[in-house]
Amino acid sequence: MIVHRAPLAAFATCVLATLISCGGDNSAGPSTTDGFSGAGVRILTPRTVEDTIDAFLATPLALEVHDSTGKPAIAIKVDVDSHRDPPDPFRTPVALFSLSSGAAGVQTLSEVTDSRGRLEVSVRLGSGVTSGWITVGAGALGRDSIRVVVSAGKPARLLLAPRDTALAVGASYTPSAIVRDRQGNVVSDLPTLVSRRAQAASVANGTITTTAPGRVYVVGTAGTAVDSVAVSVVPSGTLIAFRFIYSSGDTTTIATFDLDGTSYQRTVLPGYGFNNYAPRLLPPQNLLVFHGRTDSFGNGLGMFTMNVSNQPNVLYFPTPDGNGAYPQPTRDGTWIYYTQQVGYQSNEIWRMRPDGTSRARVGPQAGYYDSDSQASPSPDGRTIVYISNDGGLGSGVVRLNRLDVASGIETSLNAIGSHPRWSPVSNDIAYLTGSAVRLVQSDGTGDRVLATGQNFEDRDGQVEWSPDGKWLVACTRYEHSGGRRLVLIERATGDVLPLPFTYGDNLCDATWKR
């Protein structure tokens, strides 16, 4: 508690001086033991009190009342109250009062003086940062007041923002910080920030500067308060992604953006409904190929190409029980592999030229309820990997197969999952199991978990490699809200870098533009 004593000119500091009689020379401040002479009411404790919110004053508020003859007034009712400056009846009081030390207290206390004409009251300051007056009144005998200043308490809460962000290597930003005491009052203290991964980002003078790709947590402390923010330090690159559609009222959208969220552009696709998947860049024309449903096709699933700044063009019209889905161009752009529906629930691997001609089956002929789908070609285009569900045999197991296109020889990779994607620069094949992104070599060896701990979307989302084979992009279900967002996965480490800005548009299926 900080107590200030200020010189007092005779009578000048008495509140409502015309109603009371101040006696004696109080230029050095009143004493708590000497009392005063003359009639009226007088607070004997210091004239200004300052402390933090909710503090109990170490010294009780002492006052003395004298009658008109100057003698102590015994058993006289005294009201003790506080007032904000300026008044505000809707906010917390300046102080609360009680007769016993440490009690919760009331806003207005009424009590009588003792045999010496005195009264001592325990004071607890209010919970809000403010200033005002403690006032005591004894009816016609007068009133007296002392000044009270309530300041913020020690830091007890810290809020850093933004909670999660993505930054390019070499970028800097200063997170906002709000420090509050235990009652929520703003405190001027600045937090100390520390990077938990100094090799990816450093902190100096409250500013975070990124140095290498990776997931970074920056922890801030202010007093006992602790908070943290997350930063995805991303490599350079540009993605194209579909918005995940919740309901018929949602708008089909393709978004193009850099990995740090800059250069964000949306292309709205009117007339498209659910199941718009598999955006893949078609080199060298720089076209995007994907499959989706339109109003004109009804339930038919067709394939389309588009320049990312224009509207789609039809590549393949669906026929009854003949949907086309999951297009995947070869690296040189000479072929597009896709899933061809050939029965009510039977699918085969087909391919066609980028103009939609030369359509023909490549994989095995489907039997009853058999489904081969989601083909992904090798870097040289001679081999494909795909998923196969031998439903007609009753197994229902979705496994990964490899097919030599020229010879037609099919080999199982002994891996169970979906959405396989062949690396553009190696024999790595990434695929989804729902709870993990896994890697397996094209000869079936080395099957292992690359990344886990996320709700990877293995139905409406896919995985896709960066052109240099160092990164993957995948879709996750965001917490428990049902929303989707994209994440990057580093091939070398398995580190997962969420792209928080993709949550706003529920982006879920992405490919690299560059």
Side-chain angles (χ1 to χ4, degrees):
M1 180 182 72
I2 303 172
V3 178
H4 299 284
R5 293 180 179 269
L8 302 174
F11 307 105
T13 58
C14 295
V15 177
L16 303 178
T18 57
L19 299 179
I20 65 174
S21 173
C22 296
D25 182 3
N26 298 308
S27 59
S31 168
T32 59
T33 57
D34 294 341
F36 73 99
S37 60
V41 180
R42 190 61 180 270
I43 297 176
L44 306 178
T45 46
R47 310 303 293 178
T48 301
V49 175
E50 181 178 352
D51 211 328
T52 57
I53 59 165
D54 296 328
F56 286 96
L57 300 188
T59 303
L61 176 75
L63 61 93
E64 192 170 318
V65 182
H66 289 188
D67 60 21
S68 58
T69 66
K71 295 180 179 179
I74 301 171
I76 295 295
K77 178 185 176 183
V78 178
D79 294 322
V80 183
D81 202 353
S82 67
H83 306 277
R84 283 179 171 267
D85 186 14
D88 188 344
F90 299 103
R91 301 185 65 183
T92 57
V94 174
L96 299 173
F97 310 100
S98 63
L99 293 178
S100 58
S101 177
V106 295
Q107 294 188 36
T108 301
L109 178 69
S110 297
E111 191 54 62
V112 297
T113 57
D114 61 15
S115 60
R116 301 176 299 164
R118 292 190 175 188
L119 177 63
E120 288 191 354
V121 177
S122 176
V123 179
R124 179 183 182 182
L125 298 186
S127 60
V129 174
T130 187
S131 61
W133 303 86
I134 293 177
T135 303
V136 298
L141 292 177
R143 297 165 61 86
D144 195 10
S145 298
I146 62 172
R147 180 71 172 168
V148 179
V149 177
V150 185
S151 57
K154 294 180 180 180
R157 305 178 193 174
L158 173 62
L159 178 62
L160 299 175
R163 309 297 297 169
D164 200 350
T165 190
L167 293 176
V169 176
S172 299
Y173 88 109
T174 302
S176 65
I178 300 176
V179 184
R180 299 182 184 275
D181 62 21
R182 60 185 178 277
Q183 293 291 356
N185 302 293
V186 176
V187 180
S188 60
D189 298 53
L190 295 177
T192 299
L193 302 181
V194 176
S195 171
R196 294 304 189 201
R197 196 174 185 183
Q199 65 270 32
S202 60
V203 180
N205 299 321
T207 297
I208 301 171
T209 301
T210 64
T211 53
R215 185 68 167 168
V216 182
Y217 291 92
V218 175
V219 179
T221 56
T224 60
V226 179
D227 196 16
S228 64
V229 294
V231 182
S232 292
V233 186
V234 298
S236 61
T238 302
L239 292 178
I240 306 171
F242 264 117
R243 175 178 179 170
F244 175 77
I245 300 297
Y246 278 115
S247 65
S248 58
D250 289 341
T251 302
T252 301
T253 305
I254 288 179
T256 304
F257 50 89
D258 291 342
L259 295 179
D260 61 355
T262 59
S263 303
Y264 200 103
Q265 296 180 345
R266 296 178 179 89
T267 300
V268 177
L269 306 181
Y272 282 74
F274 294 93
N275 300 321
N276 300 294
Y277 303 141
R280 295 292 177 259
L281 206 62
L282 179 60
Q285 300 95 324
N286 197 33
L287 296 176
L288 194 69
V289 59
F290 66 96
H291 74 247
R293 299 186 188 276
T294 71
D295 294 340
S296 59
F297 291 164
N299 289 326
L301 197 63
M303 285 187 290
F304 309 86
T305 59
M306 67 175 290
N307 184 295
V308 293
S309 62
N310 299 317
Q311 294 304 308
N313 298 310
V314 176
L315 177 64
Y316 170 67
F317 282 100
T319 59
D321 292 333
N323 292 331
Y326 297 107
Q328 177 66 59
T330 55
R331 300 295 170 180
D332 60 6
T334 58
W335 291 101
I336 298 175
Y337 287 87
Y338 67 99
T339 301
Q340 175 68 61
Q341 184 178 357
V342 294
Y344 178 64
Q345 287 188 351
S346 297
N347 297 286
E348 297 173 345
I349 303 298
W350 286 46
R351 71 178 180 180
M352 62 180 162
R353 294 297 185 184
D355 60 1
T357 62
S358 303
R359 292 195 296 271
R361 178 173 57 84
V362 177
Q365 185 174 2
Y368 180 68
Y369 281 164
D370 290 345
S371 179
D372 292 339
S373 181
Q374 302 174 4
S376 179
S378 61
D380 60 11
R382 297 178 181 178
T383 312
I384 61 172
V385 62
Y386 58 95
I387 64 171
S388 182
N389 179 2
D390 296 333
L393 299 177
S395 66
V397 175
V398 178
R399 65 179 187 272
L400 273 61
N401 285 346
R402 185 181 74 246
L403 175 74
D404 182 273
V405 176
S407 66
I409 298 176
E410 184 183 21
T411 306
S412 174
L413 298 184
N414 297 314
I416 298 174
S418 64
H419 300 285
R421 284 295 176 267
W422 205 311
S423 168
V425 297
S426 71
N427 288 323
D428 284 341
I429 296 171
Y431 67 98
L432 289 171
T433 63
S435 61
V437 173
R438 300 182 68 95
L439 288 181
V440 64
Q441 295 298 295
S442 59
D443 62 359
T445 62
D447 189 12
R448 67 180 181 87
V449 171
L450 174 64
T452 187
Q454 305 281 327
N455 292 319
F456 290 106
E457 177 58 78
D458 60 350
R459 178 179 177 180
D460 300 315
Q462 304 182 61
V463 292
E464 176 69 317
W465 292 92
S466 62
D468 60 7
K470 294 181 178 180
W471 295 88
L472 288 150
V473 60
C475 171
T476 63
R477 295 182 293 275
Y478 185 61
E479 297 179 348
H480 303 291
S481 64
R484 269 61 170 181
R485 69 175 178 181
L486 298 173
V487 298
L488 298 181
I489 304 170
E490 189 174 20
R491 162 63 181 85
T493 64
D495 282 354
V496 177
L497 279 60
L499 302 180
F501 59 88
T502 63
Y503 176 59
D505 276 340
N506 291 317
L507 301 182
C508 190
D509 197 357
T511 191
W512 249 268
K513 183 179 179 183
R514 59 175 176 86

